[in-house]
Amino acid sequence: MAGPQDPQGSQDADHSVVVAGLPVDRGEEVLTDEALAFVADLHRRFEPRRRELLALRRERRARIAAEGTLDFLPGTAAVRAGDWKVAPAPRALQDRRVEITGPTDRKMVVNALNSGAKVWLADFEDASAPTWHNVVDGQINLIDAFERRIDFSSEAGKSYALRPDAELATVVVRPRGWHLDEAHLLVDGAPVAGAFVDFGLYFFHNAARLLARGPEDPNSGPYFYLPKTESHLEARLWNEVFTHAQQALGIEHGTVKATVLIETITAAFEMDEILYELRDHAAGLNAGRWDYLFSIIKNLRDAGERYVLPDRNSVGMTSPFMRAYAQLLVQTCHRRGAHAIGGMAAFIPSRRDPAVNAAAMEKVTADKEREAGNGFDGSWVAHPDLVPICRDSFDAVLGDRPNQKEVVPAGEVTAAELLDIAGAGGSCTAAGLHNAVQVGVRYIEAWLRGLGAVGIFNMMEDAATAEISRSQIWQWIYNGVVLDTGAKVTPDLVRGLVATELAELRAELGEAAYASGRWTEAAELFEQVALADEFVDFLTLPGYALLG
């Protein structure tokens, strides 16, 4: 193995596999010749199909733009009507009443595993900026956690140590989506998909290790969350990857279990088909509400005023189109024997403002009680302090039952209901535009410094909420939206707000702290993805080149 940056690992006989990233401490433990050969094999087998599927995304988006609508697929009606179920979930994934999410840095690994949640989504995707250090270090931290050698003390002297194995959350890893490349690992001169890197390294190093722990252990198998899926064909590719990976390492077929995030509007019309494609490996579906809103804007951005989304903070799960989405997800999962997992509570408790806390906790409680009452089997939180709220809400409905798969909400969900954005109510306000600029600029600056999960205004923001912020501005400009103040949303108005935000940040942080940040680059990237004539599919694509 050879590369331009003194890559890690011993010399590999396959010189077409190149680690181009700078060395990461202990990286050689993860980037072994055998592990890299496994990832290279995934790339060579499945990269052509990944490229085809990305092209199909572009073709489908063009059809949506031309037709201005979406519908269930006529060619897969038999799958939707069929009497089939997914394979049973393992013991570790039977009870998922509260799940916590977060990146794979060392502190988060310990805190999430100890949080009292049933599941921890160990995130290599939206909550993790994909620097090479984060990619490799996250894999090291997960191995260390399974080997119980992750205990450490912070610079402030605080100690972090794992609870007994039986009390830890079950790890479910979220690799990057199909659209992202990993520029620091090249096979035959081409970058490997981030999905292949994240899945391949984790599966290679941990599948057998986890299975050896036995079925009674919370971490007794390789489990995954699949992000940004846009069609059942993309789920089929994941199924082929799982099947091959298990065969290659001598792991029993069906050992991998995957939960698919329904966080794109196109996937919402293919929930049955997605579960069917993954039926040997499917554990459930998740209502990824923030990316779902982003996907609606992205796909229907130029389809007319009826699809203009109001202020993102005014659109909740009680909005009619979001209720329809949630109902269809629970119906689909429970008819097929799969778990239905609810959306994110992103609030971060404030140590200084009890009033803010009280109001937010009331909203979180109402949200989780509504999800439990509507048939979900569990839900997400972003902070350990919210785990008891989520758990209590589901305990009240589930009791001693691990889930409520027997609950299948009545009533048919139609395409018109899923697309009834105008029925959400709400309005486009100057305050909402200002908030979108603030969140977008502040998040992108932190992301450029390698932080993927960022607390902003007592909310845990990740790439999904930044995507909503910038795409909503693009949509408002394209559709000539007039705000509650009477001002029309224009590029110049947005540039003025960005400039004002930078000036306020300079005053808020102080000159030295401001200068040490990446605010100018963040503002430029934000304006690029919010104001460009042609809509940029993901802000992380142009942003990746700036990460270093």
Side-chain angles (χ1 to χ4, degrees):
M1 182 173 64
Q5 300 288 347
D6 294 325
Q8 300 153 333
S10 59
Q11 290 296 313
D12 189 346
D14 184 357
H15 292 282
S16 60
V17 179
V18 177
V19 177
L22 290 171
V24 177
D25 187 34
R26 295 177 57 203
E28 69 280 357
E29 298 174 26
V30 170
L31 303 173
T32 64
D33 293 341
E34 296 80 7
L36 292 174
F38 181 76
V39 173
D41 182 49
L42 295 178
H43 170 84
R44 289 169 177 143
R45 287 175 182 271
F46 300 111
E47 176 65 8
R49 183 55 177 159
R50 181 180 79 102
R51 290 291 172 186
E52 290 173 0
L53 291 171
L54 293 177
L56 287 176
R57 284 186 179 184
R58 294 188 289 272
E59 293 174 13
R60 189 177 200 179
R61 160 61 198 147
R63 290 198 303 273
I64 294 170
E67 299 169 2
T69 191
L70 278 163
D71 207 342
F72 297 96
L73 301 178
T76 55
V79 172
R80 295 193 297 276
D83 183 19
W84 52 269
K85 291 186 181 296
V86 302
R91 178 188 178 94
L93 294 177
Q94 284 291 333
D95 189 335
R96 303 176 62 174
R97 67 189 66 201
V98 54
E99 303 191 355
I100 191 168
T101 71
T104 54
D105 62 88
R106 212 160 181 84
K107 178 181 175 181
M108 183 66 195
V109 169
V110 177
N111 286 342
L113 288 172
N114 286 346
S115 66
K118 292 291 187 180
V119 166
W120 169 42
L121 185 154
D123 199 8
F124 287 92
E125 205 235 358
D126 273 358
S128 181
T131 66
W132 184 236
H133 176 272
N134 287 347
V135 168
V136 177
D137 189 60
Q139 298 282 350
I140 294 168
N141 292 336
L142 290 173
I143 293 171
D144 280 355
F146 297 139
E147 294 297 321
R148 297 199 64 89
R149 57 186 184 220
I150 200 168
D151 301 354
F152 72 103
S153 296
S154 69
E155 293 180 0
K158 185 175 180 180
S159 296
Y160 293 84
L162 291 177
R163 293 177 177 174
D165 287 350
E167 299 177 20
L168 301 181
T170 298
V171 175
V172 179
V173 168
R174 178 161 69 168
R176 280 167 284 180
W178 285 132
H179 61 290
L180 291 168
D181 290 340
E182 176 49 72
H184 303 96
L185 182 61
L186 308 177
V187 172
D188 305 326
V192 177
F196 296 149
V197 174
D198 301 337
F199 165 79
L201 291 176
Y202 181 77
F203 186 82
F204 181 86
H205 287 294
N206 296 294
R209 172 184 279 117
L210 293 168
L211 290 169
R213 297 165 75 101
E216 300 298 316
D217 193 285
N219 287 293
S220 54
Y223 309 133
F224 298 91
Y225 257 110
L226 306 182
K228 305 291 191 293
T229 301
E230 296 197 14
S231 74
H232 70 285
L233 298 178
E234 295 180 12
R236 181 182 297 172
L237 177 58
W238 268 120
N239 197 69
E240 292 169 356
V241 170
F242 295 156
T243 297
H244 169 72
Q246 290 166 136
Q247 290 174 344
L249 296 189
I251 303 294
E252 182 179 355
H253 180 80
T255 297
V256 169
K257 293 299 176 187
T259 304
V260 181
L261 289 123
I262 301 300
E263 54 185 356
T264 66
I265 184 63
T266 52
F269 285 88
E270 299 183 36
M271 294 189 203
D272 268 308
E273 293 90 332
I274 287 168
L275 285 177
Y276 183 78
E277 294 292 344
L278 285 160
R279 58 193 180 278
D280 290 346
H281 300 108
L285 303 177
N286 171 276
R289 62 176 75 169
W290 298 120
D291 259 312
Y292 188 70
L293 292 176
F294 164 52
S295 174
I296 287 173
I297 298 170
K298 178 165 68 172
N299 280 284
L300 299 167
R301 61 186 182 266
D302 49 9
E305 292 184 4
R306 68 188 186 279
Y307 293 126
V308 171
L309 198 75
D311 291 1
R312 73 142 169 145
N313 292 327
S314 71
V315 179
M317 296 306 292
T318 58
S319 299
F321 76 100
M322 296 297 279
R323 279 205 314 268
Y325 154 68
Q327 179 183 335
L328 180 59
L329 191 147
V330 174
Q331 284 178 335
T332 304
C333 286
H334 288 181
R335 281 202 314 267
R336 306 309 183 185
H339 278 71
I341 308 299
M344 169 71 82
F347 175 69
I348 302 172
S350 170
R351 305 303 182 195
R352 304 183 217 172
D353 196 332
V356 167
N357 271 0
M361 295 298 189
E362 184 177 347
K363 291 180 180 178
V364 172
T365 300
D367 181 48
K368 300 311 168 191
E369 288 179 347
R370 179 172 53 251
E371 287 180 322
N374 288 343
F376 282 95
D377 301 297
S379 191
W380 279 11
V381 299
H383 193 280
D385 286 359
L386 302 183
V387 168
I389 293 176
C390 186
R391 183 175 58 234
D392 290 348
S393 297
F394 279 87
D395 284 351
V397 173
L398 296 179
D400 293 332
R401 295 176 298 159
N403 53 66
Q404 53 181 334
K405 293 181 183 178
E406 73 280 0
V407 175
V408 181
E412 179 185 1
V413 176
T414 66
E417 289 172 321
L418 290 172
L419 296 173
D420 184 21
I421 312 305
S427 58
C428 303
T429 69
L433 179 63
H434 184 208
N435 180 257
V437 170
Q438 288 179 303
V439 170
V441 171
R442 291 173 186 237
Y443 177 81
I444 290 173
E445 191 278 335
W447 188 86
L448 291 174
R449 288 187 288 108
L451 302 175
V454 186
I456 303 174
F457 307 137
N458 290 113
M459 297 292 287
M460 186 63 77
E461 307 286 5
D462 66 8
T465 48
E467 291 283 27
I468 296 173
S469 297
R470 66 92 180 183
S471 62
Q472 188 158 57
I473 289 172
W474 194 99
Q475 186 187 41
W476 287 5
I477 291 172
Y478 182 89
N479 287 278
V481 164
V482 176
L483 302 173
D484 58 334
T485 58
K488 184 177 180 180
V489 184
T490 65
D492 284 344
L493 175 61
V494 174
R495 290 189 187 99
L497 289 171
V498 171
T500 298
E501 176 66 6
L502 292 180
E504 291 176 350
L505 282 163
R506 187 187 297 268
E508 173 187 325
L509 298 172
E511 191 63 39
Y514 181 87
S516 67
R518 301 186 66 176
W519 296 106
T520 300
E521 293 168 285
E524 290 173 352
L525 177 57
F526 180 77
E527 290 185 7
Q528 176 186 346
V529 296
L531 305 180
D533 291 338
E534 294 295 323
F535 188 88
V536 179
D537 281 346
F538 295 95
L539 70 83
T540 48
L541 295 176
Y544 187 59
L546 301 175
L547 273 179

